[in-house]
Amino acid sequence: MLELDIPISGFPFPLVLPAVSVLLIAAAGVFALFAWWTGRARRDDHVTPWDIAAALTFLGCAAAIMGEVEHVIEYFWPQETRTQPANG
Amino acid sequence: MDEIFADIMTTLTTPAGLAALGQVIMIDLVLAGDNAIVIGLAAAGLEHKQRVRAILIGILAATLLRIVFAAFTVQLLAIVGLLLAGGILLLWVCWKMWRELRRPGHGGNPMHASAPPPKSLGAAAWQIVIADVSMSLDNVLAVAGAAREHPTALIFGLGLSIVLMGLAANFIAGLLEKHRWIAYVGLAIILYVACDMIWRGFSEVQPYVAAYLAAALP
């Protein structure tokens, strides 16, 4: 979907959303580990680290879907075999 | 045995092997996203034990389908209209989920007096499997050639995506039960995936339809 090819501070544009997705899921993992380590209850009326981990996971999944896996795959291909969207 | 060990060593010690591993990890992380949201959406209306079962069915189905589709990628790529059919199938799953969300028990229209029967494990599993068929098909066609020469990297990636799908789907199902409105956001994301598949599938089918119509019409 994202056909723009603008490098952001040297980072290839097609990889921005997949990278954001990986970062969000990693952050979710950190919150989940923290919640597990501190023994926080999963069901609570207040916002818990589990909720934050779940929200970050949801956002990470959404970013992954919007990012389009084709761009990630193409970016790992040799330069000469790439098609337009992943030339960044 | 020696060959397996040699492949593991090649993957972990050579730049090409490490690059393939990194590629597969990133691709699998990205691919697990849509499956996790669909499984989380379908499992959210179930009680805890059934939810765990639904998630297990979902990740098993997604894994099996990815292996089967990966084995037949060349044949699948030759079938025109497969992407369109997958998109329509996913759209149907979206419609079923939309109707479930609109039920009174799910925070829908409170004017409905009669309570509908609770969602069954069978219904959730059916939705998950159909969505998995559509999305695994799309994903496998996209990653057809990725890291084929490094089976260790592929197996590691598959294992990682199974764990990630299970954990993410469980988190998302819990989140949707607590904050039901987020389910509409999840549904919108899956609807986007379905529409994208239909659009790309239609673009693929269009020349064939145009050629057929040109030949059929006088």
Side-chain angles (χ1 to χ4, degrees):
Chain A
M1 279 290 123
L2 298 167
E3 300 290 334
L4 290 172
D5 199 18
I6 308 159
I8 297 172
S9 304
F11 194 80
F13 188 81
L15 290 187
V16 169
L17 277 174
V20 166
S21 156
V22 173
L23 285 176
L24 286 170
I25 288 171
V30 171
F31 271 95
L33 271 176
F34 172 73
W36 175 74
W37 188 259
T38 53
R40 295 294 294 267
R42 288 198 182 216
R43 290 181 180 274
D44 198 322
D45 289 339
H46 302 288
V47 175
T48 67
W50 289 113
D51 293 329
I52 298 170
L56 288 170
T57 305
F58 185 81
L59 290 171
C61 290
I65 294 168
M66 298 297 165
E68 299 278 329
V69 72
E70 288 88 344
H71 299 326
V72 181
I73 297 160
E74 288 224 358
Y75 199 78
F76 284 105
W77 284 355
Q79 187 80 35
E80 64 273 13
T81 59
R82 291 181 199 169
T83 56
Q84 196 57 39
N87 275 334
Chain B
M1 196 68 189
D2 287 345
E3 280 179 21
I4 297 168
F5 184 72
D7 186 63
I8 293 170
M9 289 310 290
T10 311
T11 304
L12 294 176
T13 55
T14 62
L18 286 172
L21 190 64
Q23 174 183 1
V24 166
I25 288 171
M26 194 149 179
I27 290 167
D28 278 307
L29 279 175
V30 172
L31 288 183
D34 45 8
N35 291 89
I37 289 185
V38 159
I39 297 170
L41 268 172
L46 302 170
E47 61 179 54
H48 182 71
K49 267 189 177 177
Q50 288 193 328
R51 190 210 289 180
V52 173
R53 280 187 196 163
I55 290 172
L56 280 176
I57 291 169
I59 56 176
L60 276 176
T63 308
L64 278 175
L65 286 164
R66 275 190 200 174
I67 293 169
V68 171
F69 288 156
F72 297 101
T73 307
V74 177
Q75 289 88 340
L76 289 171
L77 281 169
I79 304 171
V80 177
L82 206 59
L83 200 59
L84 181 64
I88 293 169
L89 213 57
L90 196 56
L91 197 63
W92 180 74
V93 172
C94 286
W95 169 244
K96 295 282 284 179
M97 286 178 167
W98 166 256
R99 284 183 60 183
E100 275 166 19
L101 280 174
R102 300 299 297 165
R103 279 182 190 169
H106 289 277
N109 187 353
M111 296 300 283
H112 292 285
S114 59
K119 187 175 184 175
S120 69
L121 175 64
W126 189 236
Q127 281 178 359
I128 290 169
V129 170
I130 291 176
D132 277 348
V133 169
S134 312
M135 293 184 307
S136 298
L137 187 71
D138 189 25
N139 292 340
V140 167
L141 295 184
V143 276
R148 190 160 277 180
E149 289 166 14
H150 295 275
T152 303
L154 279 175
I155 292 165
F156 180 80
L158 194 65
L160 181 79
S161 68
I162 291 170
V163 172
L164 193 82
M165 254 190 271
L167 287 173
N170 194 27
F171 279 175
I172 290 169
L175 184 74
L176 299 185
E177 267 179 18
K178 205 167 176 180
H179 306 281
R180 199 64 199 163
W181 64 270
I182 300 175
Y184 287 99
V185 182
L187 191 60
I189 293 168
I190 301 303
L191 183 66
Y192 163 81
V193 176
C195 291
D196 182 45
M197 281 175 75
I198 289 172
W199 175 250
R200 285 186 290 131
F202 181 73
S203 306
E204 184 188 274
V205 167
Q206 199 183 14
Y208 293 91
V209 175
Y212 175 78
L213 288 176
L217 295 174

